[in-house]
Amino acid sequence: MLFNSLHFAVFFAVVYAVYLALDHKRQNLWLLAASYAFCVSWDWRFFAVLLEMTLVVHFCALKMADSPDPKVRKRFLVLALAACLVNLGVFKYFGFFSDTLVPLLRLLGVSVHPVVLGIGLPVGLSFYAFQAMGYAVDVHRKELDPSRRFSDFALFMAFFPRLIAGPIERGRDLLGQIAAPRRITFSGISDGTYLLFWGLFEKMFVADNLAKLVDGVFSLPFPRVYYGPKILIWGYAVFFQVYCDFDGYSNMARGLAKFLGFELSVNFEAPFIATNVSDYFRRWHITLTRWMRDYVYMPLTFRGNAGVLRAYLNTVLVMMLIAIWHEASLKFFVWGLYLSALFVVYRLTKPLFDRIPQPSSPWLRGGIYSLRALFYSVWGLVIPSILFRANSLPQAASMIAAIAGNFRYVPHAYFEEDLIRVLFFVWVVVAVGVYQHWKKDVLAVPHSAPWWIRAPFYLACFYLIVLFGTSGYEYIYANF
C-alpha cells in the first residue's frame, strides 16, 4: 500500500478511528496489529523476516541488560548483530555474491550454476535492520535501558508510517514515545496535515512526473552521442526525482505519525542548497548519516591515537558502507568511491578556504554562497545522480564525459523542452526549501508564513496535483 493510494487512505482512516477510541496500552497493541497487517499486505514472507529479527534482538537486549559479565554481553551483542546482518546478506546481497562467485569459480575451472532465491527484498529491511542494530549497540553501551515489554519493542521495529523507508529511529527517541501516553493536539494535526499534503505534492507532482522524463532518457538505446547541456538537465531531473520521492515519503511518514501523537526524525533539510559534500550529508538522509557517524566513524576514529590518515580512511569506509547499503554492485561501488574522493578533497582544501576573509556585505556573502552551491551542485548532485540512475557504468561514463568533453548547444535537440519541464516541476520545491532554510524551520510555511502566503500556496499546490499529478510509481528507496 503506497501512501498516495486509495487503499492506504481507507486503511489509515480505519486505523485512526479505532486508535482514538482506545486507551494507551490498547493503542500500542492496535498500532502493532495495524503495522503487521501493513507489512503482510506487501508479502507475508516479509512479515516472517521482521518478526524473526524482532524476537532475536529483543531477547539479546534483555540478556545484555541483565548480565554484568562483559563477555556475555558481547556474545549477545554479536548474536543480535548477526541476526540483522545475516538477513541483509541473504535477502539483499545474496544475488551479488552469487553473481560474483560463479565467474570466479569458472576461472578456476569449476562449473556451477548461479543460485537464485526467487524472493524480492523484504519491504523496509535495510531500515529496520539498521534500527535494530543501533538499538542493540546502545543497550550494550549501557546508553539505553531495553524495553521489557515485547509488544513495545515490536512496535518500535514495525511502526507502519516509517516501515517502508525510514527514518532510522533511535531507541531513546521512539521507544520513549511508545512507552508514554500520547496527546493528540490541534498543532500536531495541523502540522501533520501540512506534512501529508506537502509529501503528496513532492511525490505526485514532482517525483512521479520527473520519473517519466528520467525513465525515457535512460531507456534510450546505448551507445549514443550525449551533449553536456542536456546531461546537466537530466542529472538535475534525476536528483530532484529521487529527492522528492524520498523526502515526500519522509514527510508523509512524519505527518501520519503526528496524527497518532508521535514525532519522527527529520530526514532532509534542503540538500540542494549544500555548498560542499559534508554539508550535503548533513542534509540528505540525515538519520542514516548519523547512524554511520555514531556507530562506525566515531568508534573507529576516536579509538586510541588515530591520526589524520586514519580519519580519512574511516571517511572512505563510511562512504563505501553507505554505497553498499544502497546496493552491492559495481555501479554503487564507483558511486561510493566518487563521493569519498569529494570528501577527501573537501577536507584537504577546507583550511585554505577558511583563511579567505568573508565580505562584510550580507548580499555579497549570499551571492558567494549561491555560487558555491551552484558549483557544488554540478559535482556533488548531478554526477552522483547520473551514477545512481544509469543502467550501466559505460552509460554513466559516457554521460559524465559529455559534460566535460562535449558541452555545446545543439539546435533541435529538445534542450529547451526538457529544461522547461524540469523547471516547471521543481521550482516550488526549491522555493520552499530556500524559504525554510532562511527561516531555519523545516515547517516554516505553516508556522511563520502569513496567511496571505499560505492560502495561495496551498491552493496552487492543490491545483497542480489535480491538474498534473500522477501516480503508480513505487517509492525508490523501498528497493533499498
Side-chain angles (χ1 to χ4, degrees):
M1 287 185 288
L2 299 177
F3 287 171
N4 58 326
S5 68
L6 180 61
H7 290 91
F8 182 81
V10 174
F11 168 80
F12 185 74
V14 173
V15 169
Y16 195 56
V18 176
Y19 177 83
L20 293 176
L22 301 175
D23 60 26
H24 169 246
K25 183 177 180 180
R26 289 179 175 83
Q27 281 181 338
N28 285 351
L29 294 174
W30 174 244
L31 284 180
L32 178 60
S35 298
Y36 281 161
F38 180 78
C39 183
V40 169
S41 71
W42 294 82
D43 191 318
W44 69 267
R45 294 171 295 182
F46 298 167
F47 166 68
V49 175
L50 172 61
L51 182 60
E52 174 261 329
M53 193 180 299
T54 302
L55 287 167
V56 173
V57 174
H58 178 66
F59 170 78
C60 291
L62 294 179
K63 290 296 183 180
M64 283 188 285
D66 294 339
S67 175
D69 187 343
K71 292 182 179 179
V72 173
R73 293 169 57 83
K74 188 172 184 179
R75 287 195 201 104
F76 281 106
L77 173 64
V78 171
L79 178 60
L81 297 180
C84 301
L85 293 173
V86 167
N87 278 301
L88 284 170
V90 170
F91 293 103
K92 186 166 185 174
Y93 302 117
F94 183 85
F96 171 77
F97 290 121
S98 177
D99 293 342
T100 304
L101 183 60
V102 169
L104 291 177
L105 290 174
R106 286 175 180 170
L107 288 175
L108 298 174
V110 180
S111 180
V112 294
H113 296 286
V115 178
V116 179
L117 291 180
I119 183 174
L121 179 68
V123 61
L125 175 62
S126 297
F127 294 90
Y128 64 72
F130 271 55
Q131 186 163 297
M133 287 191 286
Y135 170 82
V137 172
D138 286 344
V139 172
H140 179 262
R141 292 174 175 175
K142 298 184 179 181
E143 296 176 356
L144 175 69
D145 293 327
S147 175
R148 296 286 172 177
R149 183 175 295 169
F150 173 76
S151 59
D152 284 359
F153 178 70
L155 181 56
F156 166 75
M157 290 286 289
F159 188 45
F160 72 88
R162 56 146 305 277
L163 180 64
I164 300 176
I168 302 170
E169 294 291 344
R170 301 293 178 87
R172 59 178 174 267
D173 296 327
L174 186 54
L175 274 171
Q177 298 180 63
I178 292 172
R182 297 171 292 276
R183 293 177 58 242
I184 310 297
T185 64
F186 176 79
S187 62
I189 292 176
S190 175
D191 292 346
T193 302
Y194 162 74
L195 287 167
L196 273 173
F197 177 73
W198 182 240
L200 281 172
F201 178 83
E202 288 182 295
K203 173 63 175 170
M204 298 181 67
F205 176 72
V206 185
D208 287 356
N209 275 300
L210 289 177
K212 296 177 182 179
L213 170 63
V214 169
D215 290 349
V217 164
F218 284 89
S219 63
L220 293 173
F222 178 79
R224 64 187 301 112
V225 177
Y226 294 111
Y227 301 101
K230 292 210 69 170
I231 298 302
L232 280 181
I233 296 172
W234 295 343
Y236 283 116
V238 173
F239 169 78
F240 279 102
Q241 179 210 356
V242 177
Y243 165 65
C244 290
D245 188 277
F246 198 3
D247 188 48
Y249 170 87
S250 299
N251 282 325
M252 283 187 277
R254 291 181 61 223
L256 293 167
K258 281 181 177 290
F259 271 89
L260 299 167
F262 289 88
E263 190 71 41
L264 295 182
S265 300
V266 175
N267 221 9
F268 293 89
E269 291 186 8
F272 47 84
I273 64 172
T275 59
N276 56 68
V277 66
S278 180
D279 187 25
Y280 173 78
F281 277 99
R282 283 194 295 266
R283 299 174 177 276
W284 176 276
H285 204 172
I286 297 169
T287 55
L288 176 62
T289 304
R290 289 175 179 170
W291 195 99
M292 290 291 181
R293 178 197 66 192
D294 294 345
Y295 298 117
V296 180
Y297 180 80
M298 298 292 280
L300 290 176
T301 303
F302 294 99
R303 178 184 296 173
N305 296 317
V308 175
L309 179 60
R310 178 72 172 271
Y312 284 134
L313 291 175
N314 290 339
T315 298
V316 174
L317 173 63
V318 166
M319 294 312 304
M320 297 310 299
L321 287 176
I322 290 176
I324 294 172
W325 179 91
H326 285 81
E327 180 183 298
S329 67
L330 181 59
K331 183 180 72 172
F332 274 94
F333 181 80
V334 174
W335 182 79
L337 284 179
Y338 177 79
L339 291 174
S340 300
L342 285 184
F343 249 115
V344 171
V345 170
Y346 164 71
R347 292 196 171 183
L348 288 173
T349 58
K350 186 177 183 297
L352 300 176
F353 284 103
D354 288 344
R355 295 175 187 172
I356 300 175
Q358 295 293 316
S360 57
S361 169
W363 292 102
L364 189 55
R365 286 200 304 271
I368 293 174
Y369 182 95
S370 300
L371 288 174
R372 288 171 59 192
L374 180 62
F375 176 80
Y376 172 73
S377 70
V378 175
W379 300 100
L381 303 185
V382 171
I383 293 178
S385 295
I386 292 170
L387 282 167
F388 184 95
R389 179 58 180 83
N391 298 320
S392 64
L393 272 178
Q395 184 186 43
S398 181
M399 288 183 165
I400 294 169
I403 297 177
N406 196 18
F407 200 89
R408 60 192 178 92
Y409 174 76
V410 178
H412 311 298
Y414 301 101
F415 174 88
E416 295 84 356
E417 289 86 343
D418 286 352
L419 178 61
I420 291 171
R421 286 175 67 185
V422 173
L423 290 176
F424 176 71
F425 289 119
V426 307
W427 74 269
V428 178
V429 170
V430 173
V432 170
V434 171
Y435 181 76
Q436 291 176 341
H437 172 69
W438 176 47
K439 289 292 185 178
K440 294 180 173 58
D441 183 1
V442 293
L443 293 173
V445 174
H447 281 175
S448 59
W451 70 267
W452 50 270
I453 289 180
R454 293 198 307 269
F457 168 76
Y458 287 133
L459 194 61
C461 289
F462 172 76
Y463 278 110
L464 287 172
I465 293 175
V466 171
L467 294 174
F468 302 102
T470 186
S471 60
Y473 289 89
E474 292 188 0
Y475 293 106
I476 294 172
Y477 269 74
N479 298 313
F480 295 132

